[in-house]
Amino acid sequence: MRAFLVFLFFFIGNLKPSAVAAQDRYVLVIHGGAGTILKSKITPEQEKRYQESLEQALLAGQAILQTGGKAIDAVEAAVRVLEDNPLFNAGKGAVFTNQGKNELDAAIMNGQNLSAGAVAGVSTIRNPISAARAVMEKSEHVMLSGIGAEQFAKEMGIEMVDPSYFYTPQRWHSLEIIRQRDSLESTKKNQQPVALMETLERKKEKYGTVGAVALDMHGNLAAATSTGGMTNKKWGRIGDAPIIGAGTYANNTTAAVSCTGWGEYFIRLVMAKSICDQMEYGGKTLEEAANQLVMQKLPALGGDGGLIAVDKDGNMVMPFCTEGMYRGYIRQDSLNGPIKKETALYKN
Amino acid sequence: MRAFLVFLFFFIGNLKPSAVAAQDRYVLVIHGGAGTILKSKITPEQEKRYQESLEQALLAGQAILQTGGKAIDAVEAAVRVLEDNPLFNAGKGAVFTNQGKNELDAAIMNGQNLSAGAVAGVSTIRNPISAARAVMEKSEHVMLSGIGAEQFAKEMGIEMVDPSYFYTPQRWHSLEIIRQRDSLESTKKNQQPVALMETLERKKEKYGTVGAVALDMHGNLAAATSTGGMTNKKWGRIGDAPIIGAGTYANNTTAAVSCTGWGEYFIRLVMAKSICDQMEYGGKTLEEAANQLVMQKLPALGGDGGLIAVDKDGNMVMPFCTEGMYRGYIRQDSLNGPIKKETALYKN
């Protein structure tokens, strides 16, 4: 009877991710930005391209996780694929600043030991996420910025590129349109504060960021986020993506989180860490914590966006309060169990 | 009898800060950095200068708070005094980078509406804390960096200075000593990683940062932090001071926090926000939360430093796990009650 109960326990346990031994499973969740992503505005061909691109990133991370590799390697690998893809606003495909440059930000965090690395405002590093990882592992710092960060990356043997590598015609076109409209609008209503016009404009646009979170077979969590920021950004603006706690956080005792959205609101809420803290200090589940922050606190403050997260028990969430979010996951919940994989763009 | 009990309640209430109506009191707490601050190494004259300087900052903030002014104005005023004082590593008196420059960081946050502003890596703004406030109030951003942040500050009418304004002979001397030693050490043991040598060196030095937190008569909380960073810093390193959540946080529902210490550890712990979250989600008191983080989690991770904080009920803490911390407070707990004021450098 006792043996039967033990068997029953394991059987039931295997159905519920949170009861499975860490060694038996892995989870990888990714995002490619949240915003005005509507089925009515995207052709079936475009949709297919996005889904294939997300799948490619998932498979790059899964190749590491399914052979017992580390969460930190998987999130870096997945984000590198998204950075190299011009469809997403990170790495190649980054949006242009007001000065016609590409200034990239990225952050990575290892939940095993709370080590973290970030770069902000870099223009010559092909994969900012790998520079962030070098900051984490090969410097005693967490955050490096601008030319200094580029010098460090170069010294560490990270692949450098000419700034022109980041040029894509569609992003340049976006900048030109915004510039033309700003010029028109400032002529028409030069009494209206520039900030307000930018705010209204931003709301119409998609927030471009990419990110990945993973739980590996050793029970380790990791998170990575990379972005080109906002089209037409000025004044050396730094958003939430490279800020540990805001756009990126991972802690083996709670969860790994990567955010995308209107960065300023994610900074003010310290979004990623708040989710972990609601779990650690408030005893909330990942789902409760993420829903409360993304669906209530964020819009209540006036912001929007979304996030992806996976907790230490393999539970995952992908909430967003925008029209859509490029997202996907791949997971295997037991050693010989089925591999589940899904990508999505819209609500439901 | 009932009237007597009501009277008794109010009388007892007035003895205990947490039971006093917000309108009846104000609290201002400041710090000027934590580190190897030992009585044996500081002359009585130096000690007096530090205490007078801290008092000057306290009085600048108090002048605002006692007339019913805002917490956000008080913390800015107190930090400006500390920035202008060459004794502290912020504003005038900032340490030099590896390249012989002064790169200043600052952040400010208003607990009333969670608005926040920060500047990182600026070299021509006399009072970075006022630039951070302009970012908070006059831009739609939270964090601006480098030359872009300086352009913004200039456009906003913030006082600009020539970079030479920040030169002080004692800080230049510190850089020269570190450079000489680095050069000697790298000749002697060029196999040892530079990072390790810097780590050992840092441990001997004081962490220079200044900060202020306040509760005003309207029940509003605010926090401000400003720093020149680390002597000999490289690669555009950004520490915790300008990072909302790490070095600075304020929320009227919990507390206002300003940190000082080994910035990288404060970033990884998201120190300031973690204290607020332990209170909000975990039901801890400010003292319990601050002690757990500063005296346990921080040293357990390998870091050190301290912080100042005041909660919505007027309770305040100034914990540190270094030898000392320049600190002080001024408070009035009831309308006609005594004004309490204290400054300190060492343990106990």
Side-chain angles (χ1 to χ4, degrees):
Chain A
M1 179 65 185
R2 194 173 158 190
F4 173 73
L5 280 177
V6 168
F7 171 76
L8 188 70
F9 172 80
F10 275 109
F11 182 72
I12 293 172
N14 273 320
L15 292 178
K16 195 168 166 273
S18 61
V20 179
Q23 289 75 358
D24 289 345
R25 61 149 179 269
Y26 61 82
V27 182
L28 173 68
V29 192
I30 61 168
H31 71 77
T36 318
I37 301 161
L38 288 164
K39 206 173 174 67
S40 58
K41 290 188 176 177
I42 294 178
T43 66
E45 292 71 34
Q46 285 174 317
E47 186 177 331
K48 197 174 163 228
R49 277 227 310 281
Y50 275 110
Q51 287 191 312
E52 284 170 356
S53 301
L54 290 166
E55 187 164 328
Q56 201 190 343
L58 287 172
L59 295 177
Q62 188 222 13
I64 292 162
L65 293 171
Q66 73 175 354
T67 53
K70 292 179 184 172
I72 194 78
D73 291 323
V75 295
E76 184 189 0
V79 166
R80 281 177 66 100
V81 170
L82 296 168
E83 282 179 337
D84 287 346
N85 190 322
L87 280 180
F88 303 102
N89 176 21
K92 177 86 179 172
V95 298
F96 285 91
T97 67
N98 178 263
Q99 309 222 310
K101 289 176 64 185
N102 303 98
E103 290 178 356
L104 315 171
D105 303 330
I108 193 164
M109 186 157 185
N110 187 341
Q112 193 179 0
N113 54 13
L114 300 187
S115 63
V119 292
V122 298
S123 301
T124 60
I125 299 169
R126 176 174 164 164
N127 291 105
I129 199 65
S130 296
R133 183 159 182 186
V135 173
M136 177 175 83
E137 293 178 346
K138 297 174 182 174
S139 86
E140 57 168 353
H141 301 304
V142 170
M143 190 172 191
L144 302 182
S145 64
I147 294 169
E150 293 174 350
Q151 283 170 343
F152 170 78
K154 202 174 173 184
E155 286 178 33
M156 296 302 127
I158 299 289
E159 186 181 350
M160 307 302 285
V161 290
D162 186 84
S164 63
Y165 163 80
F166 297 104
Y167 172 87
T168 53
Q170 71 272 26
R171 300 298 190 193
W172 186 258
H173 183 63
S174 300
L175 176 65
E176 280 183 328
I177 284 178
I178 287 184
R179 277 178 172 171
Q180 281 166 16
R181 195 186 43 219
D182 277 6
S183 161
L184 272 174
E185 282 180 358
S186 66
T187 314
K188 274 194 286 183
K189 356 176 177 173
N190 57 7
Q191 303 307 330
Q192 195 178 14
V194 174
L196 178 62
M197 291 196 295
E198 283 180 354
T199 301
L200 295 171
E201 187 44 46
R202 179 94 45 76
K203 288 227 168 206
K204 294 182 223 147
E205 285 175 7
K206 151 174 119 54
Y207 303 119
T209 310
V210 307
V213 294
L215 170 70
D216 67 26
M217 290 189 189
H218 314 286
N220 291 319
L221 292 167
T225 313
S226 182
T227 186
M230 299 158 26
T231 299
N232 202 32
K233 74 179 173 184
K234 278 186 286 195
W235 301 318
R237 179 252 189 189
I238 295 176
D240 64 315
I243 296 186
I244 299 302
T248 308
Y249 205 76
N251 186 339
N252 272 10
T253 60
T254 52
V257 185
S258 171
C259 302
T260 171
W262 194 337
E264 278 70 14
Y265 291 88
F266 285 71
I267 296 177
R268 291 165 61 194
L269 289 170
V270 197
M271 180 63 81
K273 182 58 157 60
S274 292
I275 286 169
C276 295
D277 284 353
Q278 279 217 28
M279 297 174 70
E280 183 172 351
Y281 303 133
K284 296 275 190 257
T285 65
L286 173 61
E287 194 177 358
E288 289 166 345
N291 279 341
Q292 200 245 346
L293 274 153
V294 176
M295 308 311 278
Q296 292 170 39
K297 278 202 172 186
L298 178 61
L301 202 62
D304 61 4
L307 59 83
I308 53 168
V310 58
D311 74 12
K312 64 183 171 61
D313 299 316
N315 302 298
M316 63 184 199
V317 292
M318 302 182 282
F320 54 94
C321 62
T322 47
E323 283 83 358
M325 180 166 81
Y326 302 113
R327 62 200 187 276
Y329 71 86
I330 192 159
R331 63 183 302 150
Q332 191 170 20
D333 291 321
S334 60
L335 206 53
N336 298 309
I339 293 169
K340 296 172 203 157
K341 189 179 65 181
E342 218 176 308
T343 57
L345 280 68
Y346 317 113
K347 276 186 190 158
N348 299 319
Chain B
M1 182 62 186
R2 195 175 159 190
F4 172 73
L5 281 176
V6 169
F7 171 76
L8 188 71
F9 171 80
F10 274 107
F11 181 71
I12 293 171
N14 274 319
L15 293 177
K16 195 168 166 274
S18 61
V20 179
Q23 290 75 359
D24 289 347
R25 61 151 179 266
Y26 63 83
V27 181
L28 173 68
V29 192
I30 61 169
H31 71 77
T36 318
I37 301 162
L38 289 164
K39 206 174 174 65
S40 59
K41 290 187 176 177
I42 294 179
T43 66
E45 291 71 35
Q46 284 174 318
E47 186 177 332
K48 198 175 162 227
R49 278 227 309 279
Y50 276 110
Q51 286 190 313
E52 284 171 356
S53 301
L54 291 167
E55 187 164 328
Q56 201 191 343
L58 287 172
L59 295 177
Q62 187 220 13
I64 291 161
L65 293 171
Q66 72 175 354
T67 53
K70 292 177 182 171
I72 195 79
D73 291 322
V75 294
E76 184 190 1
V79 166
R80 282 178 65 100
V81 170
L82 296 166
E83 283 178 337
D84 287 345
N85 189 322
L87 281 180
F88 303 101
N89 175 22
K92 177 86 178 171
V95 299
F96 285 90
T97 68
N98 179 263
Q99 309 221 309
K101 289 176 64 185
N102 303 98
E103 289 178 357
L104 315 172
D105 303 329
I108 193 164
M109 186 158 185
N110 187 342
Q112 193 179 0
N113 53 12
L114 301 186
S115 63
V119 292
V122 297
S123 301
T124 59
I125 298 169
R126 176 173 164 165
N127 292 103
I129 199 65
S130 296
R133 184 160 181 185
V135 173
M136 175 174 85
E137 293 179 345
K138 296 176 182 172
S139 86
E140 59 169 353
H141 301 305
V142 170
M143 191 171 191
L144 301 181
S145 65
I147 294 170
E150 294 174 350
Q151 282 168 344
F152 171 79
K154 203 174 172 183
E155 284 178 34
M156 295 302 127
I158 299 289
E159 186 179 350
M160 308 302 285
V161 290
D162 187 84
S164 64
Y165 164 80
F166 297 105
Y167 172 87
T168 53
Q170 71 271 25
R171 301 297 190 193
W172 187 257
H173 183 64
S174 299
L175 177 65
E176 281 184 326
I177 284 178
I178 287 183
R179 277 176 171 172
Q180 281 167 16
R181 195 188 42 220
D182 277 6
S183 161
L184 271 174
E185 282 180 358
S186 66
T187 313
K188 274 193 289 182
K189 0 175 175 172
N190 58 6
Q191 302 309 330
Q192 195 178 14
V194 174
L196 178 62
M197 291 196 294
E198 282 180 355
T199 302
L200 296 171
E201 186 46 44
R202 178 95 44 77
K203 288 229 168 205
K204 294 183 222 148
E205 285 174 7
K206 152 175 118 54
Y207 303 119
T209 310
V210 306
V213 294
L215 171 69
D216 66 26
M217 290 187 187
H218 314 286
N220 291 317
L221 292 167
T225 313
S226 182
T227 187
M230 298 159 27
T231 299
N232 202 32
K233 73 178 173 184
K234 279 187 285 195
W235 301 319
R237 178 251 189 190
I238 295 176
D240 65 315
I243 297 186
I244 299 301
T248 308
Y249 205 75
N251 186 338
N252 272 10
T253 61
T254 52
V257 185
S258 170
C259 302
T260 171
W262 195 337
E264 277 70 15
Y265 292 89
F266 284 71
I267 295 177
R268 291 164 60 193
L269 290 170
V270 197
M271 179 64 83
K273 183 58 157 59
S274 292
I275 285 169
C276 295
D277 285 353
Q278 279 217 28
M279 297 173 70
E280 184 171 350
Y281 302 133
K284 296 276 190 255
T285 65
L286 173 62
E287 193 175 358
E288 288 165 347
N291 279 342
Q292 201 246 346
L293 274 153
V294 177
M295 309 311 279
Q296 292 171 38
K297 280 202 169 184
L298 179 62
L301 202 62
D304 60 3
L307 59 83
I308 52 168
V310 58
D311 74 12
K312 63 184 171 61
D313 299 316
N315 302 298
M316 63 184 200
V317 292
M318 302 181 284
F320 54 94
C321 62
T322 47
E323 283 84 358
M325 180 167 80
Y326 302 112
R327 62 200 187 277
Y329 72 85
I330 192 159
R331 63 184 300 152
Q332 190 170 21
D333 291 320
S334 60
L335 205 55
N336 298 308
I339 292 169
K340 296 172 204 158
K341 189 180 66 183
E342 220 177 305
T343 59
L345 280 68
Y346 318 113
K347 275 184 191 158
N348 297 321

